[in-house]
Amino acid sequence: MINKNLITIDGPSGSGKGTVCHILAKKLNWHLLDSGALYRILAFVALQQHIELDNHVELTELALNLDVSFKSNGTGVDTLISGENVGDKLRTEIVAQAASQVAAIQAVRDALLARQKAFYQMPGLIADGRDMGTVVFPDAPVKIFLDASAEERAQRRFNQLQDKGFSVSIAQILSEIRERDFRDRNRPVAPLKPADDAIVIDSTSLSIDEVVDQVLQLTNLKLNLTVE
Ligand code: DC
């Protein structure tokens, strides 16, 4: 099957992908796949069950049997593990680092592949991740790689955490971002990199609206739509 109404947006964390994907999914009224959430969920459950993050066999088994669902709640999406809403618990730095570790295991990625592909449903899909355009949906007609400097991404994360009332060090955030980037970009399986046919957008000095406009212009052009 050729996936026609499909936009893949890959890039490092903090590039603005998540927000851009949510806005696009709303504007186009398409489905949304937050593939990072799947790796975070797997890591979260593994930590809860005290499964070692280098135990490929148990992690793969867990990945194949995860009981996960996503439900729209009006303002965003609730993530349910075995029916329980885990919300912000997936957004901690500990879970992020663990997600990046489990995501480096080929068998785990294979175990999550069919689940990700199944998100493609009419009328269309916005797929957010690291390997959406390279591995999961290689025939997507619109592929974006959204990047930003590590310093800018650290500043954005710092602002977010400050808004939530956390006291954090920007130097610490920058070093965690660099550590995770290094692992995601240099792993032998499905490394974070633009697909050969992806359009690279550098969001370092762009607003979210400017990025959304650029993606929409490209989508309208490629898919013959007129969405504003
Ligand atoms: O996008 P995120 O920060 O929620 O992703 C969490 C981790 O999962 C990230 O370090 C890399 C990994 N990931 C991946 O390897 N492939 C994806 N398609 C999405 C996320």
Side-chain angles (χ1 to χ4, degrees):
M1 175 180 58
I2 297 291
N3 296 320
K4 184 178 177 290
N5 287 345
L6 178 51
I7 304 174
T8 60
I9 306 200
D10 290 306
S13 55
S15 56
K17 269 179 322 141
T19 313
V20 167
C21 287
H22 268 104
I23 296 175
L24 286 169
K26 266 218 166 117
K27 277 189 188 262
L28 290 156
N29 211 8
W30 288 4
H31 300 279
L32 176 65
L33 164 61
D34 173 2
S35 60
L38 292 175
Y39 291 97
R40 284 175 185 263
I41 288 163
L42 177 63
F44 176 75
V45 178
L47 291 172
Q48 260 189 339
Q49 297 186 2
H50 306 290
I51 296 174
E52 298 292 334
L53 299 180
D54 58 0
N55 186 334
H56 295 200
V57 173
E58 280 197 40
L59 288 169
T60 305
E61 188 67 24
L62 193 61
L64 286 170
N65 295 305
L66 277 180
D67 175 7
V68 180
S69 53
F70 299 96
K71 280 216 175 103
S72 266
N73 63 14
T75 53
V77 177
D78 286 338
T79 306
L80 309 175
I81 302 179
S82 303
E84 186 199 339
N85 187 1
V86 287
D88 278 357
K89 289 185 193 160
L90 298 178
R91 298 284 138 203
T92 66
E93 189 53 33
I94 291 175
V95 172
Q97 292 291 350
S100 167
Q101 277 174 262
V102 301
I105 303 169
Q106 178 73 63
V108 162
R109 303 194 74 86
D110 291 346
L112 292 176
L113 195 58
R115 203 186 277 262
Q116 295 176 81
K117 285 182 185 284
F119 273 77
Y120 180 74
Q121 303 262 336
M122 291 313 279
L125 178 69
I126 314 285
D128 166 351
R130 302 293 191 289
D131 62 341
M132 298 294 100
T134 50
V135 176
V136 182
F137 299 111
D139 60 354
V142 183
K143 295 184 186 176
I144 307 291
F145 190 87
L146 191 55
D147 213 342
S149 70
E151 290 75 13
E152 172 64 20
R153 291 185 286 124
Q155 185 66 52
R156 290 175 188 170
R157 181 77 182 137
F158 177 77
N159 295 346
Q160 263 177 3
L161 290 170
Q162 269 208 327
D163 286 348
K164 287 187 183 166
F166 294 107
S167 123
V168 281
S169 128
I170 192 154
Q172 168 79 20
I173 294 174
L174 183 57
S175 110
E176 285 164 354
I177 281 186
R178 290 208 165 116
E179 185 187 335
R180 197 139 68 93
D181 272 7
F182 184 84
R183 198 184 299 119
D184 294 344
R185 287 182 202 264
N186 293 291
R187 65 186 178 208
V189 287
L192 169 64
K193 64 167 191 196
D196 290 342
D197 50 350
I199 304 288
V200 179
I201 299 178
D202 185 338
S203 77
T204 305
S205 49
L206 295 178
S207 69
I208 290 288
D209 286 346
E210 286 170 322
V211 176
V212 169
D213 280 351
Q214 285 196 18
V215 179
L216 275 179
Q217 272 182 27
L218 192 76
T219 305
N220 284 337
L221 204 69
K222 291 228 174 187
L223 302 184
N224 214 4
L225 305 176
T226 52
V227 181
E228 288 187 7

